[in-house]
């Protein structure tokens, strides 16, 4: 069912995203999501570094999905009790910058160029265990692009990964 829903969402995003962009406080959005993120994290430590008064034109529900997709990936790829997930929000060069990072196993460089492709699952042994069809990051990228934003990933084996979303400020 989840796979079908994700495929339908991607098909809609391909046509013309029906985003309703409104001026929104990204810091308030993240703060409101803290209880849900902590529940998803379980025993993992979650560290927040949120700059106040960061505003962008966003579709609130779509941006929540971006945060949840990135956070869920961090949860899946970190140790249940030793995992640390960092959620950051700041401003750099006229852009709102949202980071979601973890201290998981990281990814090999050859996977980084393909991580946002549909159905791409980097480490098959890990993804087989944690599930997923390889659509979450593709959906996330589509949503970010529909906000005139950019998403990238930096990862180092043995040290974790950081996904960075940049959105135009208002």
């Amino acid at each position: 069912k989840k796979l079908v829903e994700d495929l339908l969402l991607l098909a809609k995003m391909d046509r013309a995203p029906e985003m309703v962009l409104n001026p929104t406080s990204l810091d308030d959005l993240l703060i409101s999501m803290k209880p849900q993120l902590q529940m998803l994290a379980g025993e993992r430590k979650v560290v927040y570094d949120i700059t106040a008064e960061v505003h962008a034109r966003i579709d609130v529900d779509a941006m929540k999905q971006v945060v949840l997709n990135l956070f869920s990936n961090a949860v899946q790829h970190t140790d249940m009790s030793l995992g640390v997930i960092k959620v950051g929000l700041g401003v750099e060069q006229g852009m709102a910058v949202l980071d979601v990072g973890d201290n998981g196993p990281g990814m090999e460089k050859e996977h980084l160029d393909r991580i946002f492709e549909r159905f791409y699952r980097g480490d098959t042994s890990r993804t087989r265990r944690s599930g997923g069809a390889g659509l979450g990051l593709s959906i996330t990228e589509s949503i970010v692009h529909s906000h005139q934003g950019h998403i990238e990933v930096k990862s180092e084996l043995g040290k974790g990964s950081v996904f960075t979303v940049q959105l135009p400020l208002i």
Side-chain angles (χ1 to χ4, degrees):
K1 182 179 177 203
K2 172 85 169 101
L3 176 62
V4 171
E5 288 172 356
D6 285 349
L7 286 169
L8 287 171
L9 178 61
L10 274 171
K12 286 180 188 174
M13 297 294 292
D14 283 346
R15 282 197 319 266
E18 299 171 13
M19 300 282 165
V20 179
L21 306 180
N22 291 306
T24 305
S25 168
L26 292 172
D27 45 300
D28 286 347
L29 176 75
L30 288 175
I31 290 167
S32 74
M33 293 180 72
K34 277 184 173 184
Q36 185 177 12
L37 297 178
Q38 192 56 57
M39 189 170 50
L40 284 171
E43 296 176 31
R44 294 163 190 83
K45 181 178 180 180
V46 182
V47 178
Y48 296 94
D49 182 11
I50 300 174
T51 300
E53 300 298 321
V54 179
H55 295 86
R57 285 192 188 285
I58 63 168
D59 181 299
V60 172
D61 291 334
M63 197 51 56
K64 282 182 179 180
Q65 184 169 5
V66 165
V67 173
L68 288 172
N69 284 353
L70 295 177
F71 195 88
S72 294
N73 277 356
V75 168
Q76 286 178 4
H77 300 297
T78 54
D79 184 79
M80 193 175 291
S81 57
L82 300 175
V84 178
I85 301 170
K86 297 178 181 176
V87 178
L89 177 66
V91 175
E92 292 177 20
Q93 300 175 348
M95 300 288 277
V97 179
L98 168 68
D99 291 313
V100 178
D102 64 61
N103 67 340
M107 294 177 272
E108 295 177 357
K109 291 195 186 311
E110 66 258 20
H111 297 298
L112 298 180
D113 290 338
R114 301 190 61 205
I115 198 74
F116 296 105
E117 290 178 16
R118 293 176 188 186
F119 303 109
Y120 185 75
R121 294 168 24 156
D123 181 346
T124 54
S125 65
R126 188 172 64 194
T127 53
R128 189 179 313 118
R129 182 179 68 238
S130 59
L135 292 174
L137 289 175
S138 182
I139 290 169
T140 297
E141 182 184 49
S142 292
I143 292 170
V144 170
H145 287 169
S146 71
H147 284 79
Q148 286 16 193
H150 175 73
I151 185 168
E152 65 182 23
V153 60
K154 291 182 182 169
S155 187
E156 193 172 337
L157 282 176
K159 296 190 177 180
S161 302
V162 178
F163 286 84
T164 301
V165 174
Q166 295 178 325
L167 300 168
L169 290 169
I170 55 167

